[in-house]
């Protein structure tokens, strides 16, 4: 067996142990083919730390009700398309917000915008240049106009308006139908060699379970919960007698010598998986400085997930983990608002959870000195129709996403307090609208992803390997990150 194959197998086994430690055994079988494959990635230059945090909003967020036109004529067009201002008794079918109900912000060019009332906690971030919006983003194979779509003059992304398929396109970063990898996972493949500390911990860490976004060709995501690394329940040497018996039996299996060689390697994997979880629990222990002081909202799943991300970032920058590049994944569901969109517990409440969670996350990053080293961003299945179906909205296409990080004016990379891209006039039959105000995107998912990946350290010459089709667009880098 050649040295390269031996080294590759060791690296593969490290990844498998992380999968088992995180409880993600579902990921094992597709990756067995990696044994014997050589790695080509070299460590990135320098010794800096960077983290990407993907916040996936499942169901397709009505993001044109997150960032809303505020200038009078544009807001009037918005209200017409949305059926007027929602009022439970006099206009229950309306989807709009009154202009004076919006949280007003002003971009660097002096244009005013309105945030959803639930997004009040985003205003200080936007005003400080720590939040930017990306307008009318969605999956595209090539740039499209409304005429291209209506007359079918150019290729459209496959399976438009389908939840599962559009989620996959966002997570893959391109519109090819086939593919079992996500752009976050492929980015993890590229940067893994830069993480010279706790090598059994992959660069991709999910606080929200299985996801295509973090699956690479040679790296797998490590799964943990908002409570921390997994524990092996009822297998403890300090528990009751039954727990000790189970623990000793498990240790006996792990410590035994097996044949053939791969059976012995699986025992090594089990041992290392236990050790990895133990290492993370120690690193996250408040006694060892693994907690944070920032107060997060209670009763909010997304806030709890982001709190764990902040704790992991803090621990990962210490000698206990010593990683330079990490990709985190969290999620929030409930955005498929076909019904009761404007209810008190509807879309506005989801945006409030997101907004307040982001504000706390920003404070935590500042507390641990990682604000300028972390970029968080949203993705979602699709936007939604502008007009009502009678009680909510239906599946759309382009929508608004947000990016949060350290402001360029304060040493970060984010050119915030701006709305990047072409925010469309919100008319049902406007220049970019097809069918009930579904917006044809003017910024592609792969342009958005490629910009984030290049900030993360991906060389410009390698962008097309992760984002195939990027060459169809004018630039692989949108200006929201320096």
């Amino acid at each position: 067996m050649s040295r390269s194959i031996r080294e590759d197998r060791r690296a593969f086994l490290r990844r498998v142990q992380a999968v088992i430690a995180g409880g993600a055994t579902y990921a094992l079988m597709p990756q067995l083919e990696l044994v014997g494959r050589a790695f080509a990635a070299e460590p990135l230059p320098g010794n800096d730390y960077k983290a990407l945090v993907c916040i996936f909003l499942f169901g397709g967020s009505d993001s044109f009700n997150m960032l809303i036109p505020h200038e009078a004529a544009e807001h009037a067009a918005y209200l017409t398309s949305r059926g007027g201002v929602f009022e439970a008794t006099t206009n229950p079918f309306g989807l709009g917000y009154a202009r004076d109900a919006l949280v007003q912000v002003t971009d660097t060019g002096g244009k005013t915008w309105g945030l959803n009332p639930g997004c009040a906690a985003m205003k200080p971030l936007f005003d400080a240049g720590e939040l930017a919006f990306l307008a009318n983003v969605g999956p595209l194979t090539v740039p499209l106009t409304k005429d291209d779509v209506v007359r079918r003059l150019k290729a459209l992304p496959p399976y438009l308006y389908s939840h599962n398929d559009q989620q996959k396109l966002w997570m893959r970063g391109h519109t090819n139908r086939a593919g079992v990898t996500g752009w976050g996972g492929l980015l993890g493949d590229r940067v893994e060699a830069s993480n010279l500390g706790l090598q059994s911990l992959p660069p991709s860490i999910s606080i929200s379970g299985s996801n295509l976004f973090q699956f690479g060709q040679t790296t797998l995501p490590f799964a943990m919960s908002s409570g921390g690394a997994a524990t092996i329940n009822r297998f403890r040497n300090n528990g009751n007698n039954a727990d000790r018996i189970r623990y000793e039996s498990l240790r006996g299996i792990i410590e035994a010598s097996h044949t053939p060689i791969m059976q012995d390697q699986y025992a090594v994997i089990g041992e290392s998986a236990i050790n990895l979880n133990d290492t993370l629990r120690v690193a996250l222990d408040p006694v060892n400085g693994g907690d944070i002081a920032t107060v997060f909202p209670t009763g909010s799943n997304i806030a709890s997930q982001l709190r764990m991300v902040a704790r992991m970032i803090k621990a990962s920058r210490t000698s206990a983990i010593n990683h330079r590049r990490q990709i985190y994944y969290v999620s929030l569901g409930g955005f498929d608002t076909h019904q009761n969109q404007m209810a008190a517990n509807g879309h506005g409440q989801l945006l409030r959870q997101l907004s307040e969670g982001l504000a706390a996350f920003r404070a935590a990053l500042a507390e641990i000195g990682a604000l300028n080293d972390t970029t968080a961003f949203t993705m979602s299945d699709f936007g939604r129709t502008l007009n009502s179906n009678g009680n909510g909205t239906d599946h759309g296409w382009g929508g608004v996403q947000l990016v949060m990080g350290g402001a360029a004016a304060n040493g970060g990379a984010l050119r915030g307090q701006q709305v990047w891209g072409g925010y469309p006039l919100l008319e049902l039959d406007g220049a970019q609208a097809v069918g009930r105000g579904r917006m044809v995107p003017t910024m592609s998912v792969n342009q958005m992803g490629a910009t984030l990946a290049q900030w993360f350290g991906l060389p410009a010459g390698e962008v097309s390997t992760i984002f195939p089709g990027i060459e169809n667009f004018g630039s692989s880098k949108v200006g929201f990150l320096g």
Side-chain angles (χ1 to χ4, degrees):
M1 183 183 294
S2 72
R3 182 176 177 224
S4 64
I5 291 177
R6 287 197 304 272
E7 291 176 348
D8 202 38
R9 188 176 69 179
R10 292 191 191 104
F12 169 74
L13 291 170
R14 286 200 305 271
R15 296 184 183 100
V16 174
Q17 79 195 29
V19 171
I20 294 174
T25 52
Y26 57 81
L28 176 58
M29 295 309 294
Q31 299 294 328
L32 288 176
E33 65 185 47
L34 297 176
V35 177
R37 183 180 297 175
F39 300 130
E42 296 292 333
L44 297 171
N47 60 0
D48 60 332
Y49 174 89
K50 288 184 178 180
L52 283 172
V53 182
C54 173
I55 305 169
F56 205 97
L57 308 178
F58 277 100
S61 177
D62 187 354
S63 49
F64 291 118
N65 253 7
M66 174 178 70
L67 179 68
I68 300 169
H70 185 267
E71 296 193 348
E74 295 174 354
H75 185 265
Y78 154 85
L79 272 189
T80 298
S81 297
R82 308 243 68 172
V85 175
F86 169 78
E87 210 292 320
T89 56
T90 61
N91 190 21
F93 303 131
L95 297 169
Y97 289 90
R99 191 163 177 256
D100 60 4
L102 302 177
V103 178
Q104 183 178 333
V105 294
T106 304
D107 67 23
T108 56
K111 183 179 176 70
T112 60
W113 298 88
L115 300 180
N116 186 289
C119 295
M122 291 184 188
K123 176 178 167 57
L125 305 182
F126 189 84
D127 291 347
E130 296 170 350
L131 184 72
F133 292 100
L134 310 183
N136 204 18
V137 190
L140 289 170
T141 303
V142 295
L144 294 172
T145 65
K146 176 178 179 177
D147 192 51
D148 292 331
V149 176
V150 172
R151 298 173 59 195
R152 296 294 194 271
L153 299 177
K154 295 180 182 177
L156 304 183
Y159 308 118
L160 285 173
Y161 318 131
S162 160
H163 284 294
N164 290 341
D165 295 292
Q166 296 308 298
Q167 289 166 11
K168 289 176 183 177
L169 299 189
W170 273 94
M171 292 186 182
R172 289 176 186 147
H174 58 78
T175 58
N176 297 345
R177 298 189 186 195
V180 294
T181 57
W183 69 263
L186 294 176
L187 194 57
D189 294 347
R190 178 61 181 83
V191 302
E192 188 194 29
S194 300
N195 292 347
L196 302 178
L198 185 60
Q199 294 186 29
S200 56
L201 179 66
S204 293
I205 300 169
S206 174
I207 319 295
S208 190
S210 173
N211 67 91
L212 175 63
F213 171 69
Q214 291 181 309
F215 267 69
Q217 290 182 326
T218 60
T219 57
L220 303 168
F222 175 80
M224 58 192 302
S225 73
S226 57
T231 57
I232 304 178
N233 294 321
R234 306 193 70 186
F235 286 82
R236 297 176 298 169
N237 62 355
N238 61 349
N240 58 38
N241 189 54
D243 285 356
R244 284 196 299 272
I245 292 172
R246 280 187 286 267
Y247 176 84
E248 290 168 2
S249 297
L250 177 62
R251 299 300 308 188
I253 294 171
I254 289 173
E255 293 170 0
S257 178
H258 301 276
T259 56
I261 187 170
M262 285 306 291
Q263 292 179 14
D264 202 41
Q265 292 286 13
Y266 292 147
V268 173
I269 291 170
E271 171 76 16
S272 299
I274 293 173
N275 291 341
L276 173 57
N277 276 334
D278 287 345
T279 299
L280 291 179
R281 283 195 294 273
V282 170
L284 292 169
D285 192 324
V287 173
N288 299 320
D291 207 351
I292 52 177
T294 300
V295 177
F296 277 70
T298 58
S300 168
N301 185 259
I302 189 64
S304 297
Q305 293 176 63
L306 289 171
R307 188 178 190 279
M308 178 50 64
V309 172
R311 291 178 64 193
M312 278 296 296
I313 289 174
K314 179 183 180 182
S316 296
R317 290 152 60 97
T318 69
S319 59
I321 297 177
N322 191 26
H323 276 199
R324 289 186 53 209
R325 291 293 187 274
Q326 293 183 312
I327 303 155
Y328 289 91
Y329 175 85
V330 301
S331 70
L332 178 63
F335 287 89
D336 194 21
T337 49
H338 292 286
Q339 297 182 354
N340 301 319
Q341 175 166 320
M342 303 299 287
N345 62 347
H347 186 245
Q349 179 59 26
L350 291 172
L351 292 178
R352 186 180 303 279
Q353 291 181 47
L354 174 64
S355 176
E356 294 177 353
L358 278 174
F361 185 53
R362 182 266 171 217
L365 292 175
E367 175 194 332
I368 64 177
L371 180 59
N372 289 346
D373 305 320
T374 304
T375 299
F377 59 96
T378 59
M379 301 196 301
S380 191
D381 314 21
F382 33 62
R384 304 191 76 84
T385 57
L386 289 181
N387 68 358
S388 176
N389 61 16
N391 196 20
T393 54
D394 297 319
H395 302 173
W397 192 354
V400 179
Q401 303 302 329
L402 63 80
V403 183
M404 189 197 80
N410 297 321
L414 184 65
R415 293 167 177 155
Q417 202 180 351
Q418 296 189 61
V419 178
W420 291 89
Y423 191 102
L425 183 63
L426 299 185
E427 294 179 328
L428 294 180
D429 194 30
Q432 286 297 121
V434 291
R436 299 179 56 199
R438 293 181 173 97
M439 293 297 165
V440 179
T442 48
M443 184 188 300
S444 70
V445 169
N446 51 6
Q447 284 178 294
M448 173 183 165
T451 303
L452 292 161
Q454 288 176 85
W455 169 80
F456 197 62
L458 182 69
E462 298 180 30
V463 169
S464 62
T465 63
I466 294 180
F467 302 96
I470 191 70
E471 64 278 1
N472 295 331
F473 300 89
S475 173
S476 66
K477 198 171 184 180
V478 185
F480 62 88
L481 285 173

